[in-house]
Amino acid sequence: MRVFWDERQRRHAPVQELHNGGFVPFAEHIGRVDSMLAALGATHSVPDRGEAPLLRVHPGPYLDFLKSAFIDWKAAGRPGDAAGYVWPVIGRRALELDRIDARLGQYSMDASTPIAEGTWESAYWSAQTALAGLEALLAGDRAAFALCRPPGHHAGADYMGGYCYLNNAAVAAEAAWAAGLGRVAILDIDYHHGNGTQDIFGARGDVFFASVHADPRTDYPFFWGHGDEGGAGEGEGATLNLPLPRGTGIRDYEAALDKALEAIAAFGAGLLVCSFGADTFAGDPICAFALETADYAPVARRIASLGLPSLVVMEGGYAVDALGENVASFLRGF
Ligand code: Q9C
Ligand code: ZN
């Protein structure tokens, strides 16, 4: 399976994040990529397809915000990386204010997603990497791996969150739709629920979203991903959430995964986008499932047995020393 990656995805390097009431080193750091590149070997280059495919998912004002936030932050005389401290609660007026602090709140959902100098450039190339993987499928590859970083599944159409700025999986799914590949299924197997992807496609009947993740009653992102969220309007029935308790190991995990795969098979998609996070690993420092390195190969084999052209998009995974081997195990299984 070809691996797609662009060096400009390294430019994003926030220093710290708010975690459990204090500041800690930013967990989604470039060491993750070094671990994956060491285990995966050669990568393929990523062409520039411009902003048009990003704009199929994200509104222009949100992209403008991502581009200018760090500059505006510095212009306001602030040290460090741009981070919000006030969030508009549901039902408040949707104002388009100029103040950088207001914009950081308007366009984000949490305090774990700072904007640093190279954030826009890395997020842009991360989304381009997803598009490059999709193009490999269009050219006839059965599967492709987009080594996206920063990750994407917590980013909604107009908000960042959970280390995510642009929703790489959604950008690829929309591009697949535009390319005439028909109905798309997105299977999200990051430890955390993919709230951004669900928000983007939840009202759509032509894109199926299935997610196996930690129960949001105990885990981030808390306010999405509960078992009763099944889509809205034309999208009713095209969202499937399968939350699992902390401590879940491979047996219960595979049972939930099989339910997701059955639903995807019944939906009748022409293409699969798999949001893959290796933060389900037993040794992950910020997560609490119990998958082992060797488990990722059979998990991937089950997914591959759908027989769909598959784009694997990288999401989370923070046990840096094991990350490369976990991803390699998954891709070998495919
Ligand atoms: N105290 C992804 O895996 N921070 N994002 C949680 C817990 C946010 C993870 C803080 C975790 C987001 C792509
Ligand atoms: Zn995650």
Side-chain angles (χ1 to χ4, degrees), residues 257-279:
L257 179 65
D258 285 350
K259 282 187 205 159
L261 296 177
E262 263 171 49
I264 287 170
F267 176 74
L271 177 94
L272 179 74
V273 176
C274 179
S275 270
F276 170 56
D279 42 9

Side-chain angles (χ1 to χ4, degrees), residues 241-262:
N241 280 297
L242 299 164
L244 295 169
R246 288 187 170 201
T248 292
I250 187 63
R251 271 179 60 101
D252 292 341
Y253 190 86
E254 284 189 335
L257 179 65
D258 285 350
K259 282 187 205 159
L261 296 177
E262 263 171 49

Side-chain angles (χ1 to χ4, degrees), residues 88-106:
V89 171
I90 295 164
R92 296 291 158 83
R93 293 174 68 188
L95 298 173
E96 301 281 342
L97 300 174
D98 289 336
R99 185 97 180 164
I100 180 60
D101 305 286
R103 286 158 62 75
L104 284 161
Q106 178 186 347

Side-chain angles (χ1 to χ4, degrees), residues 1-311:
M1 187 185 314
R2 285 198 272 169
V3 175
F4 294 89
W5 157 257
D6 188 281
E7 284 293 321
R8 281 164 282 195
Q9 291 171 247
R10 288 182 187 276
R11 291 266 292 119
H12 170 62
V15 175
Q16 58 183 6
E17 64 175 296
L18 190 59
H19 175 74
N20 295 348
F23 281 94
V24 299
F26 188 63
E28 201 284 285
H29 61 83
I30 199 63
R32 299 178 60 242
V33 167
D34 292 327
S35 174
M36 290 188 268
L37 290 176
L40 299 180
T43 61
H44 292 261
S45 63
V46 171
D48 188 353
R49 298 301 179 222
E51 285 186 17
L54 278 49
L55 286 163
R56 298 185 68 90
V57 170
H58 300 286
Y62 176 60
L63 300 190
D64 293 342
F65 159 74
L66 289 176
K67 286 178 212 172
S68 68
F70 186 78
I71 297 157
D72 295 347
W73 183 256
K74 288 298 154 192
R78 303 288 172 69
D81 301 323
Y85 67 90
V86 61
W87 286 269
V89 171
I90 295 164
R92 296 291 158 83
R93 293 174 68 188
L95 298 173
E96 301 281 342
L97 300 174
D98 289 336
R99 185 97 180 164
I100 180 60
D101 305 286
R103 286 158 62 75
L104 284 161
Q106 178 186 347
Y107 292 118
S108 67
M109 60 174 272
D110 71 12
S112 58
T113 315
I115 294 185
E117 187 170 15
T119 296
W120 166 254
E121 192 178 5
S122 290
Y124 178 88
W125 284 100
S126 190
Q128 297 294 331
T129 291
L131 290 166
L134 175 67
E135 287 181 17
L137 302 185
L138 291 169
D141 288 16
R142 191 178 116 53
F145 179 55
L147 206 174
C148 294
R149 183 274 165 183
H153 75 152
H154 295 303
D158 66 350
Y159 65 84
M160 56 183 190
Y163 314 143
C164 304
Y165 305 85
L166 298 174
N167 194 309
N168 309 307
V171 166
E174 279 287 5
W177 176 252
L181 290 185
R183 287 148 76 90
V184 178
I186 303 175
L187 172 66
D188 191 319
I189 55 166
D190 185 275
Y191 176 82
H192 306 95
H193 177 254
N195 59 281
T197 314
Q198 176 171 299
D199 275 351
I200 289 164
F201 294 116
R204 292 261 300 263
D206 50 3
V207 177
F208 195 85
F209 176 71
S211 182
V212 180
H213 52 270
D215 192 332
R217 284 180 297 187
T218 56
D219 279 81
Y220 183 95
F222 301 110
F223 302 102
W224 294 258
H226 299 269
D228 61 351
E229 296 166 25
E234 287 180 10
E236 211 175 312
T239 292
L240 176 65
N241 280 297
L242 299 164
L244 295 169
R246 288 187 170 201
T248 292
I250 187 63
R251 271 179 60 101
D252 292 341
Y253 190 86
E254 284 189 335
L257 179 65
D258 285 350
K259 282 187 205 159
L261 296 177
E262 263 171 49
I264 287 170
F267 176 74
L271 177 94
L272 179 74
V273 176
C274 179
S275 270
F276 170 56
D279 42 9
T280 47
F281 178 56
D284 196 280
I286 63 172
C287 302
F289 279 177
L291 270 57
E292 300 294 345
T293 300
D295 292 334
Y296 287 105
V299 162
R301 272 199 294 278
R302 282 177 133 80
I303 299 167
S305 74
L306 282 172
L308 293 172
S310 300
L311 173 63

